Each structure stands twice: as structure tokens, then as C-alpha cells.
Amino acid sequence: EDQVTQSPEALRLQEGESSSLNCSYTVSGLRGLFWYRQDPGKGPEFLFTLYSAGEEKEKERLKATLTKKESFLHITAPKPEDSATYLCAVQAWNYGGATNKLIFGTGTLLAVQP
Amino acid sequence: SAVISQKPSRDICQRGTSLTIQCQVDSQVTMMFWYRQQPGQSLTLIATANQGSEATYESGFVIDKFPISRPNLTFSTLTVSNMSPEDSSIYLCSVLRAPNYEQYFGPGTRLTVT
């Protein structure tokens, strides 16, 4: 069964204190791994897609990396406005071909204190 | 990306009634999806809304409970029928953007059933 596990569930950082969020996945075949940011009361905001092991993508203070078993979202020198829930999701290949279904983890709630 | 709107943004409904949620996209898209986000849980795909054909439902979700319409390439509705308190959740529509299979989400509809 395809599965996504995120850790930690919650993370509190001081402004400027860099850290990483983890997303471990088990899929029959990875089509893509997605990172989203979700603010309270809003829908998920797309951040990155990663397709193959070794791939990296960056956006401002965020950098996402991918291995064959997990992905990391590195946050460098975070600011209070980076506080949000970060969601990881995977798309899998199956025997019928590609599926567009996203399988989500439960997210990491990040709080950055000034 | 895509500009996606949902109506209503929130509602409080009585047990046994039905609510129809609308999703409007600013440009034509081939694939639209409906997800549910229950309190403290990850997003779960309800169904894929196919233009010109019946929706494709995920395991655990049935058409009688969650009928979906997709009259054109920019609009879809999800109805939550015969509601119970267990249906209290956030309902989100998303759209697929080619060629990278990225999914973009609407702001969500927060439903409370009393």
C-alpha cells in the first residue's frame, strides 16, 4: 500500500534557526513527490515537484531534496512568515499506468518565533 | 498556476440535509479533483471529476453520497448528501496542470454538520 509519513509532527524554531522536515514514502513506483504549504483556513499552496532521486529544487529559503525513500524540505534562516503546515504528497505509477491521485502525509506544523 | 475559487467558503448545516459546493477555475483544465481534509488528518481524494463522463470515485466514497457534476472545463460541483456530523470537514477542489502533473488547490469549503 502506498504510504507517506512526515516527521516531526510539529517543529518550533527561532527566527534564523535552520532545520529540515522529513517525508518518508512507500510507493509501487514514484511518479512525483510534491511539497505544499498550507496556512490556517486556506487550501494547500504548491511549492515543489521532484521526480527522481538526486533532484533538488529551491525557492527563497526553502530547498527540497529527494532520495529513493524520502524527501527533505530544508528551511534556511526561517522567518516568522514561514510558519505554516508543510504537506508532502506522492503520485504513484500503478499497473494501469499513471495515476493523478495525490497521497498525502499528515503534515508538519512549523512555528517560527521572532 | 491557476486561480481557483470555491463557494461557499464555509457553512453550517443540519443533519440529513445536502450541500452543494462549487469550484470555478480561471482557465480550461482537463482534470479536476475533489479532496476531503478531516480535522487532524491528511487530505484524501474523494473522486476525479471528468468532463463529459461520470466521476471516478476512490475506495470508500460512493456517488449516492457525493454526487459530482462537471458540465464544462472550468467548473465542477460536489454535493454532500444526507449529511451527518462525520461529514464535518474541509472540502477542496484541485486542478491538474500539464505537463508536469502539478495539482493546484482551491481555498476549501469548511463544512460543519450539527
XYZ file of all heavy atoms in Angstrom, chain A residues 3-104:
806
model
N 2.140 4.827 0.860
C 2.044 5.493 2.157
C 3.050 6.622 2.252
O 4.154 6.534 1.701
C 2.308 4.465 3.265
C 1.914 4.925 4.644
C 1.942 3.773 5.642
O 2.140 2.614 5.272
N 1.757 4.088 6.900
N 2.665 7.676 2.979
C 3.544 8.828 3.195
C 3.550 9.150 4.683
O 2.482 9.277 5.290
C 3.053 10.055 2.400
C 3.929 11.266 2.706
C 3.057 9.756 0.903
N 4.742 9.302 5.256
C 4.881 9.629 6.669
C 5.755 10.861 6.813
O 6.874 10.890 6.281
C 5.519 8.456 7.436
O 4.735 7.286 7.256
C 5.602 8.780 8.922
N 5.254 11.838 7.539
C 6.023 13.067 7.743
C 6.457 13.194 9.200
O 5.724 12.826 10.116
C 5.189 14.298 7.355
C 4.927 14.383 5.863
C 4.264 15.680 5.481
O 3.126 15.704 5.032
N 5.010 16.789 5.650
N 7.649 13.741 9.380
C 8.158 13.996 10.736
C 9.024 15.250 10.738
O 9.626 15.591 9.708
C 8.963 12.786 11.231
O 10.086 12.567 10.398
N 9.072 15.957 11.878
C 8.215 15.723 13.033
C 6.789 16.201 12.781
O 6.536 16.851 11.769
C 8.898 16.575 14.115
C 9.467 17.725 13.343
C 9.931 17.139 12.036
N 5.887 15.908 13.692
C 4.514 16.411 13.552
C 4.475 17.910 13.744
O 3.681 18.603 13.114
C 3.610 15.733 14.580
C 3.355 14.262 14.310
C 2.356 13.669 15.268
O 1.801 14.431 16.089
O 2.123 12.451 15.225
N 5.296 18.403 14.645
C 5.357 19.837 14.916
C 6.798 20.227 15.195
O 7.577 19.431 15.727
C 4.473 20.198 16.101
N 7.139 21.455 14.817
C 8.511 21.941 14.980
C 8.462 23.420 15.307
O 7.801 24.183 14.602
C 9.304 21.709 13.689
C 10.762 22.147 13.668
C 11.572 21.364 14.699
C 11.345 21.949 12.279
N 9.162 23.762 16.369
C 9.223 25.171 16.761
C 10.663 25.637 16.607
O 11.571 25.028 17.176
C 8.755 25.342 18.196
C 8.756 26.771 18.677
C 8.043 26.906 20.004
N 6.630 26.601 19.864
C 5.744 26.703 20.857
N 6.137 27.058 22.069
N 4.480 26.425 20.666
N 10.870 26.701 15.847
C 12.207 27.235 15.599
C 12.274 28.698 15.992
O 11.266 29.417 15.936
C 12.567 27.107 14.110
C 12.598 25.701 13.507
C 12.828 25.788 11.998
C 13.685 24.867 14.150
N 13.470 29.121 16.328
C 13.710 30.544 16.496
C 14.014 31.137 15.113
O 14.559 30.454 14.234
C 14.901 30.799 17.422
C 14.628 30.432 18.876
C 13.548 31.312 19.484
O 12.555 30.822 20.007
N 13.754 32.625 19.421
N 13.670 32.367 14.927
C 13.987 33.032 13.660
C 15.481 32.898 13.379
O 16.320 33.173 14.255
C 13.595 34.494 13.735
C 13.807 35.239 12.437
C 13.221 36.641 12.472
O 12.683 37.041 13.531
O 13.288 37.340 11.445
N 15.805 32.448 12.154
C 17.200 32.264 11.780
C 17.763 30.882 12.058
O 18.867 30.566 11.603
N 17.010 30.036 12.756
C 17.480 28.698 13.117
C 17.089 27.714 12.018
O 15.928 27.322 11.901
C 16.870 28.276 14.453
C 17.275 26.888 14.907
C 16.521 26.464 16.157
O 15.662 27.237 16.634
O 16.776 25.338 16.640
N 18.032 27.275 11.240
C 17.751 26.388 10.108
C 17.411 24.976 10.584
O 17.893 24.524 11.628
C 18.959 26.337 9.168
O 19.268 27.627 8.684
N 16.606 24.270 9.797
C 16.223 22.906 10.131
C 15.693 22.200 8.895
O 15.651 22.786 7.802
C 15.163 22.912 11.237
O 14.922 21.605 11.713
N 15.294 20.935 9.067
C 14.772 20.145 7.956
C 13.527 19.390 8.375
O 13.426 18.928 9.519
C 15.819 19.136 7.474
O 16.960 19.780 6.965
N 12.602 19.243 7.432
C 11.419 18.427 7.606
C 11.588 17.181 6.753
O 12.120 17.247 5.644
C 10.159 19.183 7.165
C 9.984 20.621 7.651
C 8.654 21.182 7.155
C 10.094 20.700 9.149
N 11.070 16.061 7.273
C 11.261 14.792 6.591
C 9.946 14.241 6.043
O 8.890 14.387 6.668
C 11.864 13.768 7.538
C 12.022 12.400 6.895
O 11.183 11.521 7.069
N 13.082 12.222 6.150
N 10.017 13.629 4.879
C 8.880 12.946 4.272
C 9.373 11.583 3.777
O 10.139 11.520 2.810
C 8.330 13.771 3.118
S 7.058 12.930 2.130
N 8.939 10.521 4.435
C 9.283 9.160 4.010
C 8.113 8.588 3.239
O 6.958 8.792 3.620
C 9.576 8.290 5.232
O 10.677 8.783 5.947
N 8.417 7.864 2.173
C 7.323 7.346 1.354
C 7.563 5.899 0.949
O 8.708 5.445 0.825
C 7.118 8.221 0.115
C 8.293 8.258 -0.832
C 8.401 7.345 -1.874
C 9.293 9.217 -0.688
C 9.470 7.374 -2.742
C 10.374 9.247 -1.562
C 10.456 8.331 -2.583
O 11.529 8.359 -3.446
N 6.458 5.212 0.729
C 6.467 3.848 0.189
C 5.455 3.809 -0.936
O 4.256 3.996 -0.701
C 6.075 2.820 1.262
O 6.938 2.958 2.387
C 6.191 1.407 0.706
N 5.944 3.655 -2.156
C 5.048 3.584 -3.309
C 5.533 2.494 -4.240
O 6.711 2.155 -4.264
C 4.977 4.922 -4.093
C 4.296 5.983 -3.283
C 6.355 5.365 -4.546
N 4.608 1.986 -5.041
C 4.952 0.936 -6.002
C 5.901 1.482 -7.062
O 6.812 0.803 -7.506
C 3.674 0.395 -6.649
O 2.879 1.465 -7.118
N 5.707 2.717 -7.444
C 6.604 3.378 -8.387
C 6.322 4.857 -8.295
O 5.181 5.278 -8.410
N 7.360 5.652 -8.077
C 7.147 7.084 -7.835
C 7.031 7.830 -9.150
O 7.952 7.816 -9.977
C 8.297 7.659 -7.006
C 8.154 9.144 -6.652
C 7.005 9.349 -5.673
C 9.450 9.687 -6.079
N 5.898 8.517 -9.325
C 5.733 9.389 -10.488
C 6.198 10.795 -10.149
O 6.780 11.476 -10.975
C 4.268 9.417 -10.912
C 4.019 10.081 -12.252
C 2.533 10.253 -12.479
N 2.228 10.586 -13.863
C 1.080 11.122 -14.253
N 0.136 11.378 -13.375
N 0.861 11.384 -15.519
N 5.920 11.224 -8.923
C 6.344 12.551 -8.494
C 6.100 12.724 -7.008
O 5.214 12.093 -6.434
N 6.917 13.573 -6.380
C 6.741 13.910 -4.970
C 6.518 15.411 -4.877
O 7.248 16.197 -5.495
C 7.958 13.488 -4.138
C 7.793 13.706 -2.627
C 8.379 12.525 -1.836
C 8.370 15.020 -2.160
N 5.513 15.804 -4.146
C 5.070 17.189 -4.103
C 5.178 17.742 -2.689
O 4.849 17.046 -1.720
C 3.605 17.295 -4.558
C 3.373 16.811 -5.952
C 3.303 15.455 -6.239
C 3.205 17.710 -6.989
C 3.088 15.000 -7.534
C 2.990 17.266 -8.289
C 2.926 15.919 -8.550
N 5.574 19.006 -2.585
C 5.541 19.729 -1.320
C 4.556 20.891 -1.453
O 4.558 21.618 -2.457
C 6.924 20.270 -0.954
C 7.858 19.242 -0.384
C 8.835 18.551 -1.032
C 7.899 18.793 0.976
N 9.490 17.710 -0.173
C 8.938 17.837 1.069
C 7.179 19.105 2.128
C 9.267 17.193 2.268
C 7.511 18.471 3.313
C 8.534 17.521 3.383
N 3.742 21.032 -0.398
C 2.782 22.120 -0.328
C 2.939 22.835 1.003
O 3.346 22.249 2.003
C 1.338 21.597 -0.413
C 0.926 21.073 -1.751
C 1.161 19.742 -2.106
C 0.272 21.893 -2.670
C 0.771 19.261 -3.351
C -0.137 21.407 -3.902
C 0.119 20.103 -4.239
O -0.277 19.624 -5.461
N 2.543 24.089 1.014
C 2.432 24.861 2.245
C 0.950 25.150 2.463
O 0.241 25.543 1.531
C 3.208 26.178 2.092
C 2.933 27.163 3.196
C 3.530 28.519 2.923
N 3.052 29.476 3.907
C 3.834 30.318 4.574
N 5.140 30.339 4.338
N 3.317 31.152 5.446
N 0.478 24.988 3.700
C -0.912 25.287 3.990
C -1.003 26.206 5.200
O -0.554 25.845 6.291
C -1.726 24.013 4.235
C -3.220 24.280 4.382
C -4.050 23.011 4.436
O -3.584 21.960 4.861
N -5.300 23.096 4.003
N -1.591 27.363 4.989
C -1.846 28.300 6.069
C -3.232 28.022 6.644
O -4.111 27.507 5.943
C -1.752 29.734 5.566
C -0.330 30.091 5.168
O 0.531 30.095 6.056
O -0.081 30.336 3.973
N -3.455 28.380 7.914
C -4.763 28.104 8.532
C -5.913 28.695 7.721
O -5.880 29.849 7.306
C -4.640 28.776 9.897
C -3.183 28.794 10.182
C -2.513 28.983 8.869
N -6.931 27.878 7.475
C -8.116 28.343 6.770
C -7.954 28.479 5.276
O -8.836 29.026 4.605
N -6.851 27.979 4.736
C -6.603 28.095 3.291
C -6.291 26.740 2.679
O -5.977 25.781 3.380
C -5.446 29.061 3.028
C -5.731 30.487 3.471
C -4.634 31.440 3.017
C -4.966 32.867 3.377
N -3.917 33.824 2.912
N -6.390 26.690 1.352
C -6.013 25.473 0.658
C -4.508 25.360 0.523
O -3.783 26.349 0.671
N -4.006 24.158 0.255
C -2.562 23.968 0.083
C -2.024 24.791 -1.083
O -2.645 24.850 -2.145
C -2.441 22.461 -0.196
C -3.684 21.856 0.388
C -4.748 22.884 0.184
N -0.855 25.383 -0.861
C -0.166 26.176 -1.884
C 0.994 25.365 -2.422
O 1.873 24.932 -1.672
C 0.343 27.489 -1.283
C 1.202 28.322 -2.222
C 1.877 29.480 -1.496
O 1.494 29.771 -0.348
O 2.804 30.064 -2.068
N 1.030 25.167 -3.729
C 2.075 24.348 -4.358
C 3.451 24.995 -4.177
O 3.617 26.201 -4.383
C 1.764 24.184 -5.845
C 2.857 23.505 -6.615
C 2.989 22.131 -6.578
C 3.742 24.247 -7.378
C 4.004 21.500 -7.279
C 4.756 23.629 -8.084
C 4.880 22.252 -8.036
N 4.432 24.154 -3.785
C 5.808 24.623 -3.644
C 6.731 23.980 -4.691
O 7.360 24.678 -5.479
C 6.344 24.301 -2.241
C 5.700 25.035 -1.071
C 6.244 24.501 0.249
C 5.931 26.540 -1.186
N 6.842 22.631 -4.643
C 7.798 21.940 -5.493
C 7.240 20.606 -5.974
O 6.413 20.002 -5.306
C 9.084 21.580 -4.708
C 9.786 22.723 -4.061
C 9.757 22.871 -2.680
C 10.505 23.635 -4.811
C 10.417 23.908 -2.054
C 11.170 24.681 -4.204
C 11.125 24.821 -2.819
N 7.774 20.157 -7.114
C 7.628 18.767 -7.526
C 9.018 18.205 -7.776
O 9.848 18.849 -8.414
C 6.815 18.628 -8.823
O 5.611 19.363 -8.708
C 6.498 17.177 -9.082
N 9.260 16.988 -7.278
C 10.507 16.280 -7.519
C 10.171 14.962 -8.180
O 9.187 14.302 -7.811
C 11.257 16.036 -6.203
C 11.606 17.294 -5.403
C 12.050 16.915 -3.997
C 12.709 18.084 -6.104
N 10.988 14.551 -9.159
C 10.628 13.380 -9.947
C 11.590 12.207 -9.801
O 11.186 11.056 -9.993
C 10.522 13.748 -11.429
C 9.427 14.736 -11.723
C 9.704 16.084 -11.905
C 8.097 14.324 -11.806
C 8.692 16.992 -12.162
C 7.089 15.218 -12.060
C 7.390 16.558 -12.243
O 6.389 17.454 -12.495
N 12.864 12.494 -9.499
C 13.817 11.393 -9.447
C 14.829 11.635 -8.341
O 15.114 12.786 -7.966
C 14.517 11.239 -10.793
O 15.162 12.434 -11.162
N 15.372 10.517 -7.827
C 16.348 10.584 -6.756
C 17.532 11.446 -7.167
O 18.023 11.353 -8.289
C 16.810 9.180 -6.374
N 17.963 12.300 -6.249
C 19.064 13.201 -6.520
C 18.624 14.592 -6.948
O 19.421 15.530 -6.969
N 17.360 14.722 -7.271
C 16.854 16.011 -7.737
C 16.717 16.968 -6.555
O 16.376 16.569 -5.449
C 15.512 15.818 -8.424
C 14.992 17.063 -9.128
C 13.718 16.788 -9.913
O 13.235 15.636 -9.902
O 13.201 17.746 -10.528
N 16.985 18.235 -6.793
C 16.847 19.278 -5.793
C 16.159 20.487 -6.427
O 16.376 20.780 -7.602
C 18.217 19.719 -5.254
C 19.008 18.626 -4.566
C 20.321 19.132 -4.005
O 20.690 20.302 -4.256
O 21.000 18.359 -3.294
N 15.353 21.189 -5.611
C 14.737 22.426 -6.083
C 14.740 23.435 -4.950
O 14.614 23.061 -3.783
C 13.307 22.168 -6.576
C 13.279 21.433 -7.902
C 11.904 21.407 -8.519
C 11.973 20.728 -9.877
N 10.623 20.560 -10.480
N 14.864 24.694 -5.302
C 14.942 25.759 -4.299
C 13.966 26.870 -4.609
O 13.670 27.165 -5.790
C 16.355 26.365 -4.272
C 17.414 25.466 -3.711
C 18.739 26.196 -3.518
O 18.778 27.163 -2.734
O 19.718 25.795 -4.160
N 13.497 27.483 -3.518
C 12.636 28.653 -3.645
C 12.808 29.479 -2.385
O 12.408 29.055 -1.301
C 11.181 28.225 -3.802
C 10.196 29.372 -3.931
C 8.775 28.825 -4.076
C 7.767 29.955 -4.194
N 6.379 29.423 -4.353
N 13.443 30.611 -2.542
C 13.720 31.507 -1.412
C 14.463 30.733 -0.327
O 15.558 30.246 -0.546
C 12.425 32.140 -0.924
C 11.758 33.022 -1.981
C 10.479 33.667 -1.480
O 10.032 33.361 -0.368
O 9.923 34.490 -2.227
N 13.883 30.610 0.868
C 14.585 29.956 1.978
C 14.350 28.449 2.018
O 14.821 27.761 2.931
C 14.116 30.591 3.307
C 14.530 32.048 3.427
C 13.989 32.647 4.715
N 12.527 32.753 4.704
C 11.867 33.708 4.071
N 12.521 34.637 3.404
N 10.540 33.745 4.121
N 13.621 27.921 1.057
C 13.273 26.502 1.035
C 14.058 25.753 -0.034
O 14.246 26.245 -1.138
C 11.772 26.337 0.755
C 10.810 26.995 1.739
C 9.372 26.795 1.268
C 10.992 26.415 3.131
N 14.475 24.547 0.335
C 15.150 23.664 -0.611
C 14.640 22.252 -0.390
O 14.675 21.739 0.728
C 16.657 23.697 -0.404
C 17.439 22.772 -1.326
C 18.930 22.888 -1.026
C 19.753 21.953 -1.868
N 21.205 22.083 -1.574
N 14.146 21.626 -1.452
C 13.632 20.272 -1.371
C 14.577 19.309 -2.067
O 15.094 19.610 -3.151
C 12.249 20.189 -2.007
N 14.811 18.154 -1.420
C 15.670 17.127 -1.984
C 14.924 15.794 -1.976
O 13.974 15.604 -1.209
C 16.971 17.004 -1.186
O 16.658 16.612 0.159
C 17.735 18.323 -1.165
N 15.390 14.871 -2.819
C 14.697 13.590 -2.960
C 15.691 12.440 -3.043
O 16.690 12.525 -3.782
C 13.831 13.599 -4.218
C 13.028 12.341 -4.522
C 11.964 12.106 -3.442
C 12.374 12.409 -5.891
N 15.425 11.375 -2.261
C 16.141 10.114 -2.407
C 15.117 9.044 -2.789
O 13.943 9.352 -2.988
C 16.844 9.704 -1.100
O 15.857 9.285 -0.148
C 17.647 10.867 -0.521
N 15.552 7.799 -2.856
C 14.629 6.737 -3.263
C 13.614 6.387 -2.179
O 12.641 5.687 -2.459
C 15.428 5.492 -3.647
C 16.174 5.656 -4.960
C 16.837 4.370 -5.389
C 17.529 4.540 -6.746
N 18.195 3.284 -7.198
N 13.839 6.881 -0.954
C 12.929 6.532 0.127
C 12.329 7.731 0.838
O 11.349 7.578 1.582
C 13.653 5.665 1.162
C 14.064 4.310 0.659
C 14.695 3.486 1.767
C 15.084 2.097 1.283
N 15.674 1.278 2.378
N 12.936 8.900 0.666
C 12.461 10.046 1.431
C 12.799 11.360 0.741
O 13.639 11.416 -0.173
C 13.038 10.019 2.849
C 14.547 10.021 2.911
C 15.056 9.727 4.318
O 14.268 9.721 5.294
O 16.278 9.516 4.455
N 12.146 12.393 1.237
C 12.423 13.744 0.771
C 12.613 14.628 1.997
O 12.018 14.389 3.045
C 11.260 14.264 -0.080
O 11.476 15.613 -0.464
N 13.447 15.640 1.831
C 13.655 16.612 2.889
C 13.293 17.996 2.379
O 13.569 18.344 1.231
C 15.119 16.605 3.359
C 15.515 15.355 4.076
C 16.110 14.302 3.393
C 15.294 15.213 5.432
C 16.474 13.141 4.043
C 15.653 14.053 6.101
C 16.239 13.013 5.401
N 12.698 18.765 3.260
C 12.461 20.184 2.987
C 13.332 20.957 3.973
O 13.062 20.963 5.170
C 10.984 20.540 3.162
C 10.608 21.980 2.797
C 10.818 22.216 1.297
C 9.160 22.269 3.172
N 14.380 21.555 3.430
C 15.321 22.304 4.253
C 14.882 23.758 4.302
O 14.594 24.358 3.261
C 16.732 22.199 3.665
C 17.193 20.796 3.421
N 17.750 20.008 4.414
C 17.173 20.033 2.296
C 18.054 18.821 3.909
N 17.718 18.803 2.625
N 14.853 24.301 5.512
C 14.470 25.699 5.688
C 15.672 26.430 6.267
O 16.099 26.145 7.398
C 13.252 25.826 6.620
C 12.103 24.984 6.059
C 12.843 27.279 6.767
C 10.883 24.953 6.932
N 16.183 27.363 5.485
C 17.390 28.093 5.877
C 17.018 29.468 6.418
O 16.274 30.205 5.778
C 18.327 28.258 4.675
O 18.671 26.969 4.159
C 19.603 28.985 5.079
N 17.531 29.770 7.624
C 17.276 31.063 8.262
C 15.811 31.447 8.176
O 15.450 32.471 7.571
C 18.166 32.139 7.643
N 14.928 30.642 8.764
C 13.484 30.906 8.635
C 13.063 32.208 9.298
O 13.695 32.696 10.244
C 12.852 29.695 9.324
C 13.871 29.230 10.291
C 15.191 29.474 9.623
N 11.956 32.728 8.771
C 11.344 33.929 9.315
C 9.955 33.572 9.839
O 9.387 32.542 9.448
C 11.239 35.001 8.238
C 12.585 35.456 7.683
C 12.398 36.537 6.642
C 13.759 37.029 6.125
N 13.596 38.115 5.115
N 9.384 34.411 10.693
C 8.042 34.109 11.224
C 7.009 33.854 10.127
O 6.101 33.040 10.313
C 7.704 35.362 12.030
C 9.033 35.856 12.508
C 9.983 35.575 11.376
N 7.140 34.512 8.987
C 6.171 34.302 7.907
C 6.282 32.926 7.252
O 5.430 32.551 6.441
C 6.298 35.390 6.833
C 7.688 35.581 6.284
C 8.410 36.755 6.944
O 8.278 36.900 8.181
O 9.091 37.502 6.215
N 7.297 32.161 7.605
C 7.407 30.777 7.131
C 6.561 29.829 7.972
O 6.441 28.637 7.643
C 8.863 30.309 7.152
C 9.742 31.078 6.172
O 9.260 31.368 5.058
O 10.888 31.406 6.528
N 5.973 30.318 9.034
C 5.127 29.486 9.894
C 3.910 29.006 9.106
O 3.184 29.816 8.513
C 4.670 30.270 11.128
O 5.792 30.658 11.903
N 3.705 27.709 9.073
C 2.610 27.093 8.322
C 2.695 25.588 8.534
O 3.623 25.090 9.174
C 2.723 27.410 6.819
N 1.735 24.869 7.967
C 1.834 23.413 7.888
C 2.397 23.054 6.519
O 1.917 23.541 5.496
C 0.465 22.753 8.088
O -0.005 23.041 9.407
C 0.577 21.240 7.929
N 3.409 22.221 6.509
C 4.032 21.778 5.260
C 3.604 20.337 4.984
O 3.797 19.450 5.810
C 5.546 21.917 5.334
C 5.960 23.375 5.330
C 5.998 24.106 6.520
C 6.238 24.040 4.142
C 6.333 25.451 6.516
C 6.575 25.388 4.132
C 6.613 26.083 5.328
O 6.930 27.432 5.318
N 3.009 20.152 3.819
C 2.470 18.858 3.418
C 3.315 18.240 2.317
O 3.767 18.936 1.404
C 1.034 19.019 2.902
C 0.008 19.608 3.855
C -1.284 19.917 3.133
C -0.257 18.641 5.001
N 3.486 16.941 2.427
C 4.183 16.169 1.409
C 3.168 15.210 0.787
O 2.287 14.685 1.493
C 5.326 15.396 2.067
S 6.154 14.194 1.029
N 3.263 14.992 -0.510
C 2.360 14.076 -1.190
C 3.100 13.372 -2.312
O 4.041 13.920 -2.891
C 1.146 14.822 -1.751
N 2.653 12.165 -2.648
C 3.258 11.419 -3.747
C 2.202 11.039 -4.764
O 1.030 10.867 -4.442
C 3.992 10.153 -3.262
C 5.155 10.525 -2.342
C 3.049 9.185 -2.590
N 2.645 10.938 -5.995
C 1.867 10.340 -7.075
C 2.584 9.075 -7.475
O 3.805 9.051 -7.581
C 1.813 11.271 -8.286
C 0.651 12.211 -8.321
C 0.630 13.029 -9.598
O 1.572 13.002 -10.383
N -0.440 13.772 -9.802
N 1.810 8.030 -7.733
C 2.416 6.738 -7.999
C 2.045 6.229 -9.384
O 1.009 6.580 -9.942
C 1.973 5.720 -6.947
N 2.931 5.420 -9.954
C 2.601 4.619 -11.113
C 1.945 3.339 -10.593
O 2.321 2.826 -9.554
C 3.853 4.232 -11.893
C 4.564 5.376 -12.506
C 5.675 5.992 -12.003
C 4.255 6.036 -13.725
N 6.059 7.009 -12.849
C 5.221 7.054 -13.909
C 3.270 5.879 -14.706
C 5.221 7.903 -15.011
C 3.265 6.722 -15.795
C 4.226 7.715 -15.947
N 0.948 2.864 -11.329
C 0.391 1.571 -10.951
C 0.315 0.687 -12.184
O 0.789 1.058 -13.253
C -0.976 1.736 -10.278
C -1.968 2.446 -11.173
O -1.902 2.346 -12.398
N -2.885 3.157 -10.573
N -0.250 -0.491 -12.037
C -0.269 -1.447 -13.140
C -1.074 -0.933 -14.320
O -0.863 -1.333 -15.444
C -0.811 -2.785 -12.664
C 0.064 -3.435 -11.632
C -0.368 -3.590 -10.322
C 1.342 -3.877 -11.963
C 0.451 -4.174 -9.379
C 2.160 -4.461 -11.013
C 1.713 -4.607 -9.727
O 2.514 -5.178 -8.786
N -2.028 -0.025 -14.041
C -2.837 0.512 -15.127
C -2.194 1.707 -15.798
O -2.761 2.274 -16.736
N -1.029 2.118 -15.282
C -0.371 3.287 -15.853
C -0.260 4.387 -14.820
O -0.196 4.135 -13.630
N -0.259 5.620 -15.273
C -0.090 6.738 -14.353
C -1.390 7.010 -13.606
O -2.474 6.846 -14.139
C 0.332 7.974 -15.119
N -1.262 7.427 -12.364
C -2.404 7.883 -11.604
C -2.143 9.305 -11.159
O -1.031 9.649 -10.787
C -2.684 6.984 -10.386
O -3.698 7.612 -9.598
C -1.450 6.816 -9.520
N -3.150 10.144 -11.195
C -3.005 11.528 -10.769
C -3.371 11.728 -9.310
O -3.307 12.824 -8.794
C -3.862 12.440 -11.647
C -3.377 12.451 -13.078
O -2.244 12.809 -13.344
N -4.229 12.029 -14.003
N -3.744 10.657 -8.642
C -4.131 10.738 -7.232
C -2.933 11.136 -6.398
O -1.841 10.580 -6.553
C -4.647 9.372 -6.780
C -4.921 9.249 -5.296
C -5.375 7.838 -4.984
C -5.629 7.637 -3.505
N -6.100 6.251 -3.229
N -3.110 12.112 -5.528
C -2.077 12.507 -4.580
C -2.348 11.809 -3.245
O -3.463 11.868 -2.734
C -2.073 14.014 -4.372
C -1.525 14.868 -5.513
C -1.661 16.351 -5.187
C -0.068 14.533 -5.794
N -1.317 11.170 -2.701
C -1.393 10.551 -1.386
C -0.606 11.431 -0.436
O 0.605 11.595 -0.601
C -0.824 9.122 -1.423
C -1.588 8.287 -2.445
C -0.893 8.476 -0.036
C -0.903 7.006 -2.812
N -1.307 11.993 0.531
C -0.714 12.981 1.419
C -0.249 12.388 2.738
O -0.850 11.444 3.262
C -1.735 14.088 1.731
C -1.877 15.114 0.660
C -2.758 14.927 -0.385
C -1.133 16.276 0.710
C -2.895 15.885 -1.379
C -1.266 17.246 -0.268
C -2.147 17.041 -1.311
